Amino acid sequence: MLDPADEDFARDPYPYYARLRAQGDAVCVTLANGSRAWLVTGYEQTRAVLADPRFSNVPPQGAGRPKADSPAQRARALLARHMLNSDAPDHTRLRKLTTAAFAPRRVDALRPRIEVLVKGLVEEVAGRIERDGSADLVDAFAFPLPVLVIGEVLGVPESDRVALRDWTYRVGSPADALPPGAVDEAWTQLYGYFTELIAAKRRSPGDDLFSVLVHDSAEGGLDDGELLAMAFLLLFAGYETTMNLLASAALLLLSHPQELAAAQADPAARWPAIVEETLRHASPLEGTTWRRTTEDVALSDGTRIPAGASVLAVLAAANRDPAHFPDPDAFRPDRYLPTAEGARPAPHAAFGHGPHFCVGSRLARLEAQIALPLLFTTLPGLRLAADPAGLPYRPGLLVRGPRVLPVA
Ligand code: HEM
């Protein structure tokens, strides 16, 4: 029995995944809600599953989907029609357009704007510490930065950023954490806002990445519903993951001061290595989205997964596979340092693999490689203001990162 909401499991799921990995390529477990799922935890096996078309991304009819009987639920159902929930050929068509919009030169051109946003937030963190004696780095830094950056990607006018941040926060919160209706209201508002945004981009395109998508959508055969779902996917795929990357990296650095000092001494080589090692060691997306077998599948060790089964490729576990990463539980950025011989380090699986490989990987890396050095060079005395062993983590099998990170 696996309870993804269990606090100890959320904080440290790795021993559990190591036990599963020792049992076979995939293990069938019963989840706390009574459903059964196959978990894939080895590095090679995870990549094999993610590249295999017999593992479908299309959610089963009705499963986990809200019934469309209120405006908020209708909004949620429509916004769920995105490419991460689709297979070829639909997926191929949708994906082609995003790859063009996220071309490396377009992503790299965001650097100066990201620097401005990071500087503003670092000031905010410093201000809170001065005023209150401490600040929550998740709330003041790791959460707002990715939302602001997605605002840049989508070309959301600056005057609407506060609202975007508020709706994103609300739809990402558990329903019982906020006053009744607050989450539903945010869904409806996001839906209405993105509908308007698309119309505005059609009338007068900006130089943002989303305007490229809106422009190309006509030729690529995207309908308005698909475009709307795309805006929503970019927001959700891009914010919670990057938030966890930033929060986990800050936590790892604050608890490994020698690595922080080494990065300050050799920034050009060390910061990229820290970002890669954080992606491996603290995979922000714990598991991919659910896959479903379209037929019986036999894995390389002979394990047979029946047709129609729910399957989760656990990236966090793949990234700690000792067959692929020596001393996998240690945080060792030097794994990703360039070597004199030009040897390439073992790639991690944090951005997935196969047709759904992360569209935003370059953007996520860029954000982290700007944000972390600026944070720690502007505030060199930053220290943890809580016991790291007691920090609460996000529940569930999808994303992983500390919920709060008090610093002083
Ligand atoms: C540290 C940050 C991030 C991590 C770890 C991450 C990880 C991933 C992973 C593992 C997948 C594949 C999921 C699956 O196969 O089920 C994925 C897909 C995706 N990611 Fe990211 N992501 C990050 C940031 C971003 C950002 C910043 C964006 C865009 C603004 C983005 C956009 C997407 C999109 C659109 C997909 C769906 C691709 C498809 O279905 O073909 N991600 N991401």
Side-chain angles (χ1 to χ4, degrees):
M1 165 80 90
L2 169 59
D3 180 4
D6 179 86
E7 282 190 17
D8 291 334
F9 173 78
R11 194 175 298 119
D12 185 12
Y14 297 105
Y16 176 80
Y17 292 143
R19 285 199 299 278
L20 288 193
R21 203 187 299 109
Q23 285 175 43
D25 281 3
V27 178
C28 188
V29 301
T30 304
L31 301 176
N33 65 7
S35 63
R36 315 243 313 149
W38 291 79
L39 267 51
V40 183
T41 46
Y43 180 84
E44 294 302 341
Q45 294 78 5
T46 294
R47 283 165 60 96
V49 162
L50 293 177
D52 187 333
R54 293 173 298 174
F55 294 85
S56 163
N57 274 55
V58 178
Q61 210 69 35
R65 289 217 178 138
K67 284 189 204 69
D69 54 8
S70 77
Q73 287 170 332
R74 243 190 325 275
R76 289 179 72 163
L78 279 170
L79 294 174
R81 284 181 53 207
H82 55 65
M83 69 170 165
L84 194 45
N85 282 345
S86 69
D87 295 337
D90 267 352
H91 174 257
T92 325
R93 177 173 61 87
L94 296 164
R95 168 97 188 187
K96 217 169 124 194
L97 293 174
T98 38
T99 330
F102 278 75
R105 68 181 164 81
R106 289 213 170 92
V107 172
D108 295 350
L110 288 167
R111 175 180 278 278
R113 281 298 303 151
I114 298 176
E115 282 172 354
V116 170
L117 296 172
V118 171
K119 281 180 189 154
L121 292 175
V122 173
E123 267 175 36
E124 167 78 25
V125 173
R128 284 197 201 185
I129 293 177
E130 204 176 295
R131 198 180 58 228
D132 307 331
S134 70
D136 173 8
L137 211 55
V138 174
D139 184 59
F141 192 73
F143 166 68
L145 180 63
V147 180
L148 290 171
V149 172
I150 303 292
E152 294 286 332
V153 168
L154 295 176
V156 170
E158 227 151 293
S159 51
D160 297 342
R161 301 271 167 95
V162 173
L164 182 71
R165 185 169 157 173
D166 175 49
W167 299 325
T168 309
Y169 178 79
R170 284 200 263 156
V171 300
S173 301
D176 56 1
L178 297 170
V183 174
D184 272 2
E185 191 194 335
W187 275 106
T188 316
Q189 281 170 322
L190 257 183
Y191 177 79
Y193 184 78
F194 282 156
T195 307
E196 284 284 308
L197 188 72
I198 291 170
K201 299 286 162 200
R202 283 233 166 82
R203 283 196 303 272
S204 54
D207 56 4
D208 52 89
L209 279 64
F210 194 54
S211 286
V212 179
L213 257 172
V214 173
H215 174 266
D216 292 354
S217 65
E219 287 124 72
L222 247 74
D223 63 37
D224 273 15
E226 286 171 324
L227 208 47
L228 199 63
M230 184 74 85
F232 166 80
L233 172 65
L234 292 176
L235 175 64
F236 274 86
Y239 107 83
E240 215 168 336
T241 45
T242 315
M243 168 174 87
N244 287 327
L245 170 61
L246 295 173
S248 292
L251 173 59
L252 282 163
L253 287 169
L254 290 167
S255 44
H256 293 76
Q258 72 288 5
E259 295 296 347
L260 183 55
Q264 305 288 36
D266 181 11
R270 288 269 167 180
W271 282 112
I274 283 172
V275 172
E276 292 314 301
E277 177 64 345
T278 305
L279 284 162
R280 183 199 71 81
H281 186 273
S283 302
L285 213 57
E286 186 163 338
T288 58
T289 49
W290 289 96
R291 302 302 199 258
R292 209 175 146 81
T293 40
T294 56
E295 56 184 84
D296 288 5
V297 178
L299 300 178
S300 60
D301 71 345
T303 306
R304 297 189 76 83
I305 306 183
S310 298
V311 181
L312 189 69
V314 187
L315 302 173
N319 281 338
R320 298 270 189 118
D321 184 342
H324 199 70
F325 303 100
D327 197 9
D329 295 327
F331 176 65
R332 280 191 15 215
D334 59 353
R335 294 176 207 270
Y336 290 101
L337 285 180
T339 61
E341 304 79 45
R344 294 175 71 82
H348 57 69
F351 289 119
H353 181 65
H356 293 276
F357 182 85
C358 179
V359 164
S361 61
R362 193 176 181 97
L363 177 59
R365 286 182 164 119
L366 182 70
E367 262 180 84
Q369 287 176 20
I370 294 172
L372 295 168
L374 264 173
L375 174 70
F376 285 103
T377 42
T378 317
L379 304 176
L382 213 58
R383 57 176 180 81
L384 279 172
D387 175 7
L391 290 176
Y393 271 68
R394 288 171 194 282
L397 297 174
L398 191 59
V399 288
R400 184 168 181 280
R403 285 213 307 257
V404 294
L405 185 55
V407 291

